PDB file of all heavy atoms in Angstrom:
ATOM      1  N   ALA A 553     -81.413 -47.189 225.776  1.00 98.00           N
ATOM      2  CA  ALA A 553     -80.451 -48.286 225.622  1.00 98.00           C
ATOM      3  C   ALA A 553     -79.561 -48.389 226.856  1.00 98.00           C
ATOM      4  O   ALA A 553     -79.019 -47.388 227.320  1.00 98.00           O
ATOM      5  CB  ALA A 553     -79.596 -48.059 224.383  1.00 98.00           C
ATOM      6  N   VAL A 554     -79.451 -49.608 227.372  1.00 98.00           N
ATOM      7  CA  VAL A 554     -78.551 -49.886 228.494  1.00 98.00           C
ATOM      8  C   VAL A 554     -77.277 -50.465 227.896  1.00 98.00           C
ATOM      9  O   VAL A 554     -77.323 -51.506 227.236  1.00 98.00           O
ATOM     10  CB  VAL A 554     -79.192 -50.919 229.457  1.00 98.00           C
ATOM     11  CG1 VAL A 554     -78.237 -51.254 230.587  1.00 98.00           C
ATOM     12  CG2 VAL A 554     -80.512 -50.408 229.988  1.00 98.00           C
ATOM     13  N   LEU A 555     -76.145 -49.802 228.101  1.00 98.00           N
ATOM     14  CA  LEU A 555     -74.923 -50.162 227.375  1.00 98.00           C
ATOM     15  C   LEU A 555     -73.759 -50.379 228.334  1.00 98.00           C
ATOM     16  O   LEU A 555     -72.907 -49.501 228.513  1.00 98.00           O
ATOM     17  CB  LEU A 555     -74.604 -49.047 226.366  1.00 98.00           C
ATOM     18  CG  LEU A 555     -75.760 -48.714 225.399  1.00 98.00           C
ATOM     19  CD1 LEU A 555     -75.494 -47.447 224.617  1.00 98.00           C
ATOM     20  CD2 LEU A 555     -76.010 -49.882 224.445  1.00 98.00           C
ATOM     21  N   PRO A 556     -73.734 -51.550 228.972  1.00 98.00           N
ATOM     22  CA  PRO A 556     -72.615 -51.819 229.878  1.00 98.00           C
ATOM     23  C   PRO A 556     -71.357 -52.178 229.100  1.00 98.00           C
ATOM     24  O   PRO A 556     -71.393 -53.081 228.264  1.00 98.00           O
ATOM     25  CB  PRO A 556     -73.094 -53.021 230.717  1.00 98.00           C
ATOM     26  CG  PRO A 556     -74.164 -53.663 229.920  1.00 98.00           C
ATOM     27  CD  PRO A 556     -74.705 -52.662 228.939  1.00 98.00           C
ATOM     28  N   TYR A 557     -70.281 -51.458 229.349  1.00 98.00           N
ATOM     29  CA  TYR A 557     -68.998 -51.837 228.739  1.00 98.00           C
ATOM     30  C   TYR A 557     -68.355 -52.843 229.674  1.00 98.00           C
ATOM     31  O   TYR A 557     -67.428 -52.537 230.431  1.00 98.00           O
ATOM     32  CB  TYR A 557     -68.141 -50.587 228.454  1.00 98.00           C
ATOM     33  CG  TYR A 557     -68.530 -50.035 227.109  1.00 98.00           C
ATOM     34  CD1 TYR A 557     -69.804 -49.517 226.907  1.00 98.00           C
ATOM     35  CD2 TYR A 557     -67.680 -50.107 226.016  1.00 98.00           C
ATOM     36  CE1 TYR A 557     -70.215 -49.078 225.657  1.00 98.00           C
ATOM     37  CE2 TYR A 557     -68.077 -49.667 224.767  1.00 98.00           C
ATOM     38  CZ  TYR A 557     -69.340 -49.166 224.598  1.00 98.00           C
ATOM     39  OH  TYR A 557     -69.746 -48.745 223.351  1.00 98.00           O
ATOM     40  N   ASP A 558     -68.898 -54.021 229.650  1.00 98.00           N
ATOM     41  CA  ASP A 558     -68.479 -55.096 230.540  1.00 98.00           C
ATOM     42  C   ASP A 558     -69.132 -56.367 230.023  1.00 98.00           C
ATOM     43  O   ASP A 558     -70.361 -56.525 230.102  1.00 98.00           O
ATOM     44  CB  ASP A 558     -68.956 -54.788 231.966  1.00 98.00           C
ATOM     45  CG  ASP A 558     -68.404 -55.777 232.977  1.00 98.00           C
ATOM     46  OD1 ASP A 558     -68.204 -56.958 232.610  1.00 98.00           O
ATOM     47  OD2 ASP A 558     -68.162 -55.363 234.127  1.00 98.00           O
ATOM     48  N   GLN A 559     -68.339 -57.250 229.461  1.00 98.00           N
ATOM     49  CA  GLN A 559     -68.899 -58.470 228.871  1.00 98.00           C
ATOM     50  C   GLN A 559     -69.705 -59.252 229.898  1.00 98.00           C
ATOM     51  O   GLN A 559     -70.708 -59.877 229.578  1.00 98.00           O
ATOM     52  CB  GLN A 559     -67.772 -59.328 228.278  1.00 98.00           C
ATOM     53  CG  GLN A 559     -68.235 -60.579 227.568  1.00 98.00           C
ATOM     54  CD  GLN A 559     -69.254 -60.287 226.457  1.00 98.00           C
ATOM     55  OE1 GLN A 559     -69.204 -59.239 225.816  1.00 98.00           O
ATOM     56  NE2 GLN A 559     -70.186 -61.208 226.252  1.00 98.00           N
ATOM     57  N   ARG A 560     -69.259 -59.192 231.153  1.00 98.00           N
ATOM     58  CA  ARG A 560     -69.941 -59.985 232.195  1.00 98.00           C
ATOM     59  C   ARG A 560     -71.296 -59.384 232.559  1.00 98.00           C
ATOM     60  O   ARG A 560     -72.073 -60.004 233.280  1.00 98.00           O
ATOM     61  CB  ARG A 560     -69.046 -60.121 233.422  1.00 98.00           C
ATOM     62  CG  ARG A 560     -67.771 -60.906 233.113  1.00 98.00           C
ATOM     63  CD  ARG A 560     -66.991 -61.263 234.352  1.00 98.00           C
ATOM     64  NE  ARG A 560     -65.858 -62.091 233.998  1.00 98.00           N
ATOM     65  CZ  ARG A 560     -64.578 -61.701 234.057  1.00 98.00           C
ATOM     66  NH1 ARG A 560     -64.275 -60.490 234.502  1.00 98.00           N
ATOM     67  NH2 ARG A 560     -63.628 -62.528 233.690  1.00 98.00           N
ATOM     68  N   LEU A 561     -71.565 -58.181 232.083  1.00 98.00           N
ATOM     69  CA  LEU A 561     -72.897 -57.588 232.314  1.00 98.00           C
ATOM     70  C   LEU A 561     -73.771 -57.719 231.062  1.00 98.00           C
ATOM     71  O   LEU A 561     -74.742 -56.982 230.909  1.00 98.00           O
ATOM     72  CB  LEU A 561     -72.771 -56.114 232.715  1.00 98.00           C
ATOM     73  CG  LEU A 561     -72.274 -55.865 234.146  1.00 98.00           C
ATOM     74  CD1 LEU A 561     -72.159 -54.369 234.418  1.00 98.00           C
ATOM     75  CD2 LEU A 561     -73.199 -56.506 235.180  1.00 98.00           C
ATOM     76  N   ALA A 562     -73.441 -58.681 230.211  1.00 98.00           N
ATOM     77  CA  ALA A 562     -74.200 -58.825 228.958  1.00 98.00           C
ATOM     78  C   ALA A 562     -75.678 -59.115 229.214  1.00 98.00           C
ATOM     79  O   ALA A 562     -76.527 -58.771 228.393  1.00 98.00           O
ATOM     80  CB  ALA A 562     -73.579 -59.929 228.100  1.00 98.00           C
ATOM     81  N   ARG A 563     -76.014 -59.738 230.347  1.00 98.00           N
ATOM     82  CA  ARG A 563     -77.426 -60.022 230.638  1.00 98.00           C
ATOM     83  C   ARG A 563     -78.118 -58.856 231.356  1.00 98.00           C
ATOM     84  O   ARG A 563     -79.318 -58.941 231.642  1.00 98.00           O
ATOM     85  CB  ARG A 563     -77.547 -61.291 231.511  1.00 98.00           C
ATOM     86  CG  ARG A 563     -77.025 -62.588 230.893  1.00 98.00           C
ATOM     87  CD  ARG A 563     -77.773 -63.033 229.644  1.00 98.00           C
ATOM     88  NE  ARG A 563     -79.220 -63.023 229.734  1.00 98.00           N
ATOM     89  CZ  ARG A 563     -79.960 -64.026 230.192  1.00 98.00           C
ATOM     90  NH1 ARG A 563     -79.393 -65.131 230.592  1.00 98.00           N
ATOM     91  NH2 ARG A 563     -81.283 -63.945 230.230  1.00 98.00           N
ATOM     92  N   LEU A 564     -77.364 -57.829 231.698  1.00 98.00           N
ATOM     93  CA  LEU A 564     -77.980 -56.725 232.450  1.00 98.00           C
ATOM     94  C   LEU A 564     -79.098 -56.023 231.673  1.00 98.00           C
ATOM     95  O   LEU A 564     -80.143 -55.711 232.255  1.00 98.00           O
ATOM     96  CB  LEU A 564     -76.911 -55.718 232.883  1.00 98.00           C
ATOM     97  CG  LEU A 564     -77.355 -54.719 233.940  1.00 98.00           C
ATOM     98  CD1 LEU A 564     -77.628 -55.402 235.285  1.00 98.00           C
ATOM     99  CD2 LEU A 564     -76.316 -53.618 234.139  1.00 98.00           C
ATOM    100  N   PRO A 565     -78.932 -55.776 230.367  1.00 98.00           N
ATOM    101  CA  PRO A 565     -80.050 -55.151 229.639  1.00 98.00           C
ATOM    102  C   PRO A 565     -81.335 -55.978 229.727  1.00 98.00           C
ATOM    103  O   PRO A 565     -82.428 -55.421 229.904  1.00 98.00           O
ATOM    104  CB  PRO A 565     -79.538 -55.058 228.199  1.00 98.00           C
ATOM    105  CG  PRO A 565     -78.044 -54.984 228.350  1.00 98.00           C
ATOM    106  CD  PRO A 565     -77.723 -55.871 229.517  1.00 98.00           C
ATOM    107  N   PHE A 568     -82.754 -55.437 233.237  1.00 98.00           N
ATOM    108  CA  PHE A 568     -83.373 -54.110 233.376  1.00 98.00           C
ATOM    109  C   PHE A 568     -84.627 -53.978 232.518  1.00 98.00           C
ATOM    110  O   PHE A 568     -85.530 -53.205 232.813  1.00 98.00           O
ATOM    111  CB  PHE A 568     -82.387 -53.008 232.988  1.00 98.00           C
ATOM    112  CG  PHE A 568     -81.353 -52.737 234.044  1.00 98.00           C
ATOM    113  CD1 PHE A 568     -80.210 -52.006 233.739  1.00 98.00           C
ATOM    114  CD2 PHE A 568     -81.502 -53.202 235.345  1.00 98.00           C
ATOM    115  CE1 PHE A 568     -79.244 -51.749 234.707  1.00 98.00           C
ATOM    116  CE2 PHE A 568     -80.545 -52.951 236.320  1.00 98.00           C
ATOM    117  CZ  PHE A 568     -79.404 -52.224 235.992  1.00 98.00           C
ATOM    118  N   TRP A 596     -83.681 -51.681 226.180  1.00 98.00           N
ATOM    119  CA  TRP A 596     -82.963 -52.727 225.466  1.00 98.00           C
ATOM    120  C   TRP A 596     -81.477 -52.400 225.531  1.00 98.00           C
ATOM    121  O   TRP A 596     -81.096 -51.390 226.115  1.00 98.00           O
ATOM    122  CB  TRP A 596     -83.434 -52.781 223.999  1.00 98.00           C
ATOM    123  CG  TRP A 596     -83.246 -51.482 223.267  1.00 98.00           C
ATOM    124  CD1 TRP A 596     -83.977 -50.338 223.432  1.00 98.00           C
ATOM    125  CD2 TRP A 596     -82.204 -51.162 222.347  1.00 98.00           C
ATOM    126  NE1 TRP A 596     -83.480 -49.336 222.647  1.00 98.00           N
ATOM    127  CE2 TRP A 596     -82.382 -49.815 221.958  1.00 98.00           C
ATOM    128  CE3 TRP A 596     -81.154 -51.880 221.793  1.00 98.00           C
ATOM    129  CZ2 TRP A 596     -81.544 -49.174 221.054  1.00 98.00           C
ATOM    130  CZ3 TRP A 596     -80.317 -51.239 220.871  1.00 98.00           C
ATOM    131  CH2 TRP A 596     -80.523 -49.894 220.517  1.00 98.00           C
ATOM    132  N   GLY A 597     -80.666 -53.233 224.947  1.00 98.00           N
ATOM    133  CA  GLY A 597     -79.248 -52.920 224.928  1.00 98.00           C
ATOM    134  C   GLY A 597     -78.401 -54.163 224.805  1.00 98.00           C
ATOM    135  O   GLY A 597     -78.909 -55.272 224.635  1.00 98.00           O
ATOM    136  N   ALA A 598     -77.113 -53.965 224.875  1.00 98.00           N
ATOM    137  CA  ALA A 598     -76.153 -55.067 224.765  1.00 98.00           C
ATOM    138  C   ALA A 598     -74.833 -54.569 225.319  1.00 98.00           C
ATOM    139  O   ALA A 598     -74.636 -53.366 225.502  1.00 98.00           O
ATOM    140  CB  ALA A 598     -75.979 -55.484 223.303  1.00 98.00           C
ATOM    141  N   ALA A 599     -73.943 -55.520 225.571  1.00 98.00           N
ATOM    142  CA  ALA A 599     -72.627 -55.138 226.084  1.00 98.00           C
ATOM    143  C   ALA A 599     -71.839 -54.420 224.997  1.00 98.00           C
ATOM    144  O   ALA A 599     -71.888 -54.791 223.827  1.00 98.00           O
ATOM    145  CB  ALA A 599     -71.884 -56.388 226.539  1.00 98.00           C
ATOM    146  N   GLY A 600     -71.118 -53.376 225.437  1.00 93.00           N
ATOM    147  CA  GLY A 600     -70.156 -52.762 224.529  1.00 93.00           C
ATOM    148  C   GLY A 600     -68.868 -53.577 224.621  1.00 93.00           C
ATOM    149  O   GLY A 600     -68.616 -54.160 225.643  1.00 93.00           O
ATOM    150  N   THR A 601     -68.083 -53.682 223.619  1.00 96.00           N
ATOM    151  CA  THR A 601     -68.161 -52.982 222.367  1.00 96.00           C
ATOM    152  C   THR A 601     -69.007 -53.708 221.316  1.00 96.00           C
ATOM    153  O   THR A 601     -69.154 -53.174 220.196  1.00 96.00           O
ATOM    154  CB  THR A 601     -66.740 -52.764 221.756  1.00 96.00           C
ATOM    155  OG1 THR A 601     -66.147 -54.058 221.550  1.00 96.00           O
ATOM    156  CG2 THR A 601     -65.829 -51.977 222.684  1.00 96.00           C
ATOM    157  N   ASN A 602     -69.542 -54.882 221.636  1.00 96.00           N
ATOM    158  CA  ASN A 602     -70.273 -55.650 220.620  1.00 96.00           C
ATOM    159  C   ASN A 602     -71.366 -54.825 219.945  1.00 96.00           C
ATOM    160  O   ASN A 602     -71.530 -54.867 218.731  1.00 96.00           O
ATOM    161  CB  ASN A 602     -70.902 -56.904 221.233  1.00 96.00           C
ATOM    162  CG  ASN A 602     -69.846 -57.875 221.732  1.00 96.00           C
ATOM    163  OD1 ASN A 602     -68.701 -57.477 221.923  1.00 96.00           O
ATOM    164  ND2 ASN A 602     -70.210 -59.103 221.927  1.00 96.00           N
ATOM    165  N   TYR A 608     -75.205 -49.465 216.838  1.00 98.00           N
ATOM    166  CA  TYR A 608     -74.804 -48.077 217.112  1.00 98.00           C
ATOM    167  C   TYR A 608     -74.963 -47.182 215.877  1.00 98.00           C
ATOM    168  O   TYR A 608     -75.064 -45.970 215.986  1.00 98.00           O
ATOM    169  CB  TYR A 608     -73.362 -48.013 217.616  1.00 98.00           C
ATOM    170  CG  TYR A 608     -73.190 -48.283 219.098  1.00 98.00           C
ATOM    171  CD1 TYR A 608     -73.841 -49.342 219.712  1.00 98.00           C
ATOM    172  CD2 TYR A 608     -72.363 -47.491 219.893  1.00 98.00           C
ATOM    173  CE1 TYR A 608     -73.665 -49.605 221.067  1.00 98.00           C
ATOM    174  CE2 TYR A 608     -72.181 -47.746 221.245  1.00 98.00           C
ATOM    175  CZ  TYR A 608     -72.826 -48.806 221.826  1.00 98.00           C
ATOM    176  OH  TYR A 608     -72.654 -49.067 223.162  1.00 98.00           O
ATOM    177  N   GLU A 621     -77.467 -45.199 228.041  1.00 98.00           N
ATOM    178  CA  GLU A 621     -76.963 -45.236 229.409  1.00 98.00           C
ATOM    179  C   GLU A 621     -75.731 -46.143 229.446  1.00 98.00           C
ATOM    180  O   GLU A 621     -75.848 -47.364 229.419  1.00 98.00           O
ATOM    181  CB  GLU A 621     -78.052 -45.737 230.354  1.00 98.00           C
ATOM    182  CG  GLU A 621     -79.259 -44.815 230.330  1.00 98.00           C
ATOM    183  CD  GLU A 621     -80.269 -45.084 231.433  1.00 98.00           C
ATOM    184  OE1 GLU A 621     -80.286 -46.194 232.001  1.00 98.00           O
ATOM    185  OE2 GLU A 621     -81.049 -44.173 231.714  1.00 98.00           O
ATOM    186  N   PHE A 622     -74.568 -45.509 229.478  1.00 98.00           N
ATOM    187  CA  PHE A 622     -73.312 -46.257 229.497  1.00 98.00           C
ATOM    188  C   PHE A 622     -72.949 -46.613 230.927  1.00 98.00           C
ATOM    189  O   PHE A 622     -73.279 -45.881 231.857  1.00 98.00           O
ATOM    190  CB  PHE A 622     -72.187 -45.409 228.894  1.00 98.00           C
ATOM    191  CG  PHE A 622     -72.384 -45.111 227.428  1.00 98.00           C
ATOM    192  CD1 PHE A 622     -72.956 -43.911 227.014  1.00 98.00           C
ATOM    193  CD2 PHE A 622     -72.020 -46.044 226.466  1.00 98.00           C
ATOM    194  CE1 PHE A 622     -73.139 -43.644 225.669  1.00 98.00           C
ATOM    195  CE2 PHE A 622     -72.206 -45.780 225.113  1.00 98.00           C
ATOM    196  CZ  PHE A 622     -72.770 -44.585 224.722  1.00 98.00           C
ATOM    197  N   MET A 623     -72.272 -47.732 231.094  1.00 98.00           N
ATOM    198  CA  MET A 623     -71.670 -48.026 232.395  1.00 98.00           C
ATOM    199  C   MET A 623     -70.353 -48.749 232.187  1.00 98.00           C
ATOM    200  O   MET A 623     -70.205 -49.537 231.258  1.00 98.00           O
ATOM    201  CB  MET A 623     -72.624 -48.788 233.315  1.00 98.00           C
ATOM    202  CG  MET A 623     -73.295 -49.992 232.754  1.00 98.00           C
ATOM    203  SD  MET A 623     -74.384 -50.725 233.985  1.00 98.00           S
ATOM    204  CE  MET A 623     -75.774 -49.635 233.878  1.00 98.00           C
ATOM    205  N   VAL A 624     -69.419 -48.436 233.068  1.00 98.00           N
ATOM    206  CA  VAL A 624     -68.085 -49.020 232.900  1.00 98.00           C
ATOM    207  C   VAL A 624     -67.323 -48.964 234.226  1.00 98.00           C
ATOM    208  O   VAL A 624     -67.550 -48.070 235.047  1.00 98.00           O
ATOM    209  CB  VAL A 624     -67.308 -48.273 231.777  1.00 98.00           C
ATOM    210  CG1 VAL A 624     -66.939 -46.867 232.166  1.00 98.00           C
ATOM    211  CG2 VAL A 624     -66.092 -49.074 231.323  1.00 98.00           C
ATOM    212  N   LEU A 640     -61.368 -50.833 226.167  1.00 98.00           N
ATOM    213  CA  LEU A 640     -62.805 -50.886 226.475  1.00 98.00           C
ATOM    214  C   LEU A 640     -63.282 -49.520 226.977  1.00 98.00           C
ATOM    215  O   LEU A 640     -64.294 -48.975 226.510  1.00 98.00           O
ATOM    216  CB  LEU A 640     -63.032 -51.972 227.540  1.00 98.00           C
ATOM    217  CG  LEU A 640     -64.458 -52.267 227.942  1.00 98.00           C
ATOM    218  CD1 LEU A 640     -65.161 -53.047 226.839  1.00 98.00           C
ATOM    219  CD2 LEU A 640     -64.492 -53.096 229.237  1.00 98.00           C
ATOM    220  N   CYS A 644     -65.917 -46.762 225.373  1.00 98.00           N
ATOM    221  CA  CYS A 644     -67.115 -46.302 226.091  1.00 98.00           C
ATOM    222  C   CYS A 644     -67.164 -44.768 226.093  1.00 98.00           C
ATOM    223  O   CYS A 644     -68.173 -44.163 225.721  1.00 98.00           O
ATOM    224  CB  CYS A 644     -67.072 -46.861 227.518  1.00 98.00           C
ATOM    225  SG  CYS A 644     -68.448 -46.337 228.519  1.00 98.00           S
ATOM    226  N   TYR A 694     -67.606 -46.769 238.034  1.00 98.00           N
ATOM    227  CA  TYR A 694     -67.312 -47.281 239.379  1.00 98.00           C
ATOM    228  C   TYR A 694     -65.946 -47.951 239.310  1.00 98.00           C
ATOM    229  O   TYR A 694     -65.458 -48.283 238.207  1.00 98.00           O
ATOM    230  CB  TYR A 694     -68.411 -48.260 239.828  1.00 98.00           C
ATOM    231  CG  TYR A 694     -68.915 -49.127 238.692  1.00 98.00           C
ATOM    232  CD1 TYR A 694     -68.265 -50.302 238.365  1.00 98.00           C
ATOM    233  CD2 TYR A 694     -69.986 -48.708 237.887  1.00 98.00           C
ATOM    234  CE1 TYR A 694     -68.683 -51.064 237.281  1.00 98.00           C
ATOM    235  CE2 TYR A 694     -70.402 -49.471 236.797  1.00 98.00           C
ATOM    236  CZ  TYR A 694     -69.746 -50.639 236.507  1.00 98.00           C
ATOM    237  OH  TYR A 694     -70.135 -51.383 235.434  1.00 98.00           O
TER     238      TYR A 694
END
Side-chain angles (χ1 to χ4, degrees):
V554 178
L555 305 169
Y557 274 65
D558 187 328
Q559 183 55 32
R560 296 190 176 110
L561 286 179
R563 298 297 312 273
L564 194 67
F568 283 165
W596 58 287
T601 60
N602 295 18
Y608 277 45
E621 299 191 339
F622 295 97
M623 50 181 78
V624 69
L640 184 74
C644 178
Y694 38 86

